[in-house]
Amino acid sequence: MTFNDVIGQEEAKQRLLQLQSEGRLPHAMMLCGPAGCGKLALAVAFACHLLRTPQAEAMVKNLSHPDLHFTYPTIKLPSMGADRQPVSDDFAREWHDLLVRSPYFSMDQWMDAIGAANQQAIITAAESDELTRKLSLKSSQGGYKVSIIWLPERMNATSANKLLKLLEEPPAQTVFIMVCQEPEQLLDTIRSRTQRIDVKRIDTATIAQALVEQRGIGEDDAQRIARVANGSWLKALEELDTGNENRAFFDMFVLLMRLAYMRNIHDLKKWCETAAGYGREKQKRMLTYFLRLVRENFMFNFHEPELNYMTQEEENFARNFARFINEANVVEISELLQRCIRDIGQNANAKIVFFDMALKMIVLLIQK
C-alpha cells in the first residue's frame, strides 16, 4: 500500500514524510480524526513507506511484512477456555482479508467480519503481553519495527497500563502508530507519550473526484454524494450501496412521520414492533439517522442549498415534509430522539421506548 491509496489528506501525508526526512520521527504517534477520514489508511501507507525496501517489496505490498504488527479490538470466541483471553493473532486472517480489500472500514464492519453478535470488542491485557513479546525480537530486515494499534481507546485498564510501560521503554527502532477516534478515553499518560497528528475530514471536492475516478460515478451524482458524506469516505461508499442501511432507515422515518401525522395508532404499534426487532446497536444508528434528517428538514426551510446535506431521495421528501419541522418543535423532537438513544443504550424495553416516542411525535407534529 502507498500514499496514493489514501484519499486526500495531503497535509497529513507531508507532515509524516517531513518528520522522517528531518530525522524527527517520534517513537509513538497518534492519528486522531472522525470516522471515515482515512486514519487507518494513512497509518498503513506510512508503515509501508518505512518498511519498503527492494527486497521486502512483495511483503509490503501484501501487508505480510514480519516487522509490521497490527493490534485491534477482539472478542472472546465460544471455543476459548474460561482463562483464555483473545489476542489479535486469533483474528489475523479476518483482519488481513478486510484490510487488503480496503483500509476504509468501520467498527461495525469489523464486528461482522469476526462474527460478533452483541459482544463488546476490546484490546485485552494478553494482547499487550503478546505485543511486548513480538517487539522484543530483533527486526527481521534490520530496519524499523512498526506497531499499528487500531482504536487504542478500546484497551481495558490492564492492557492500557501494560502498553504505557512499553511506550516508556520502547524497543529499539520501533515506531508505534495509534489510530484513534476518541483520544479523550485514553489514559493521560499514554496521550502525553505520543505525538498527536489530527487527520481532518476529507474535503468534498476530493471525495467527489475519487467517486468519479474510482467508482465511475457521474460528476453531478458524485458532488451530491460527496456533500452527504460530509468528509467521510465510508459514508460516500454507503450511499453507493443500493441496499445500504440508511435507505431502510429513510423508509422507516417516512413511515413514522406519515403515521404520526395521520394519528394512526394501530399501524404505529406495528411500526414500533418492527423497530424493536432490530438489535440495539442498529436501533441507535437508526435514531441517530432520524436526528440528522430532522436537522436537514429544519434547515431545508431556509432555502439555502449549501446548508443541506441530503440525498436526492431525502430532498424529494423534504419538499413536502420540511414545513412540519420548525421553530415550534425542532428542539423538542431532537431531544425526544436523544432520550430514546439514551434509553435504548441503557437496555430499556425497545417496544415501550419506540411506542412512547411515536405517541409523543403525534403531539409534536401538530405544533406546526
Side-chain angles (χ1 to χ4, degrees):
M1 183 174 178
T2 69
F3 282 121
N4 291 332
D5 299 308
V6 180
I7 298 169
Q9 305 302 353
E10 295 303 322
E11 183 181 337
K13 294 176 188 176
Q14 292 306 314
R15 183 175 178 188
L16 289 171
L17 291 173
Q18 185 177 5
L19 286 171
Q20 185 205 8
S21 65
E22 295 178 353
R24 297 187 295 111
L25 188 64
H27 77 278
M29 293 174 286
M30 184 166 60
L31 305 184
C32 303
C37 70
K39 303 181 298 296
L40 180 58
L42 196 61
V44 175
F46 187 52
C48 289
H49 172 77
L50 294 176
L51 297 171
R52 183 172 281 109
T53 62
Q55 298 78 17
E57 180 61 37
M59 293 186 293
V60 168
K61 186 175 181 179
N62 192 42
L63 299 181
S64 58
H65 196 291
D67 295 323
L68 176 59
H69 306 285
F70 290 101
T71 293
Y72 36 82
T74 57
I75 59 169
K76 187 162 186 173
L77 297 173
S79 58
M80 295 177 180
D83 297 329
R84 170 85 154 78
Q85 291 185 12
V87 295
S88 295
D89 282 351
D90 294 324
F91 302 91
R93 180 180 58 81
E94 292 86 350
W95 176 263
H96 183 265
D97 290 348
L98 196 60
L99 193 60
V100 168
R101 196 177 310 136
S102 172
Y104 293 85
F105 54 85
S106 65
M107 185 63 187
D108 288 334
Q109 289 171 309
W110 171 236
M111 294 292 276
D112 287 340
I114 60 178
N118 292 321
Q119 294 171 270
Q120 182 178 0
I122 64 169
I123 297 175
T124 64
E127 172 63 23
S128 292
D129 291 336
E130 181 65 8
L131 185 59
T132 300
R133 183 192 68 78
K134 289 178 180 177
L135 296 178
S136 67
L137 301 176
K138 186 178 179 180
S139 167
S140 67
Q141 304 296 307
Y144 287 108
K145 292 175 288 184
V146 182
S147 169
I148 295 179
I149 304 176
W150 186 56
L151 303 183
E153 59 266 39
R154 286 183 174 260
M155 292 184 292
N156 62 25
T158 305
S159 178
N161 282 306
K162 289 186 175 184
L163 178 65
L164 175 61
K165 184 176 181 181
L166 194 57
L167 293 176
E168 290 175 335
E169 301 174 7
Q173 283 192 292
T174 298
V175 177
F176 294 91
I177 308 176
M178 299 186 189
V179 180
C180 193
Q181 200 157 301
E182 299 176 293
E184 66 280 358
Q185 293 188 17
L186 279 171
L187 293 176
D188 290 340
T189 43
I190 288 181
R191 295 204 304 268
S192 68
R193 283 165 176 77
T194 62
Q195 182 166 330
R196 175 168 172 163
I197 297 176
D198 289 312
V199 184
K200 301 175 183 177
R201 295 180 184 276
I202 309 169
D203 65 88
T204 300
T206 299
I207 291 180
Q209 182 181 354
L211 288 170
V212 172
E213 294 176 354
Q214 298 184 22
R215 302 287 168 154
I217 307 300
E219 290 189 6
D220 290 343
D221 288 338
Q223 285 290 342
R224 179 177 288 275
I225 291 173
R227 279 184 56 78
V228 173
N230 193 25
S232 170
W233 181 244
L234 283 177
K235 287 186 179 179
L237 294 180
E238 286 176 2
E239 292 301 324
L240 295 180
D241 181 5
T242 56
N244 80 78
E245 205 174 53
N246 281 358
R247 290 182 183 271
F249 291 165
F250 171 74
D251 291 338
M252 289 290 282
F253 180 83
V254 171
L255 185 57
L256 171 64
M257 295 305 169
R258 285 176 176 166
L259 293 176
Y261 178 75
M262 294 187 295
R263 308 180 196 181
N264 187 334
I265 305 297
H266 180 267
D267 286 346
L268 276 174
K269 187 172 183 294
K270 291 182 179 179
W271 183 96
C272 295
E273 291 172 353
T274 299
Y278 297 161
R280 291 194 179 273
E281 291 303 317
K282 186 174 180 178
Q283 289 166 357
K284 288 192 289 184
R285 291 196 300 272
M286 181 181 73
L287 290 167
T288 300
Y289 173 83
F290 286 6
L291 264 174
R292 182 180 75 80
L293 272 198
V294 167
R295 181 265 179 200
E296 297 299 337
N297 276 270
F298 177 68
M299 298 305 295
F300 189 84
N301 294 308
F302 295 97
H303 305 291
E304 297 287 347
E306 66 275 8
L307 297 179
N308 274 120
Y309 299 87
M310 290 190 283
T311 65
Q312 189 64 61
E313 192 175 26
E314 291 167 349
E315 186 175 310
N316 291 340
F317 176 69
R319 287 194 180 96
N320 294 319
F321 176 72
R323 61 192 175 92
F324 293 97
I325 306 294
N326 49 65
E327 292 88 346
N329 61 17
V330 64
V331 173
E332 290 179 273
I333 291 176
S334 297
E335 290 176 346
L336 173 62
L337 292 170
Q338 289 167 351
R339 286 197 300 273
C340 290
I341 293 173
R342 179 202 63 194
D343 293 343
I344 291 296
Q346 294 177 350
N347 294 322
N349 185 297
K351 286 185 180 180
I352 295 176
V353 171
F354 283 118
F355 193 56
D356 178 68
M357 177 194 73
L359 294 178
K360 289 176 179 174
M361 196 67 72
I362 292 175
V363 177
L364 292 171
L365 288 181
I366 294 174
Q367 301 177 23
K368 68 183 184 68

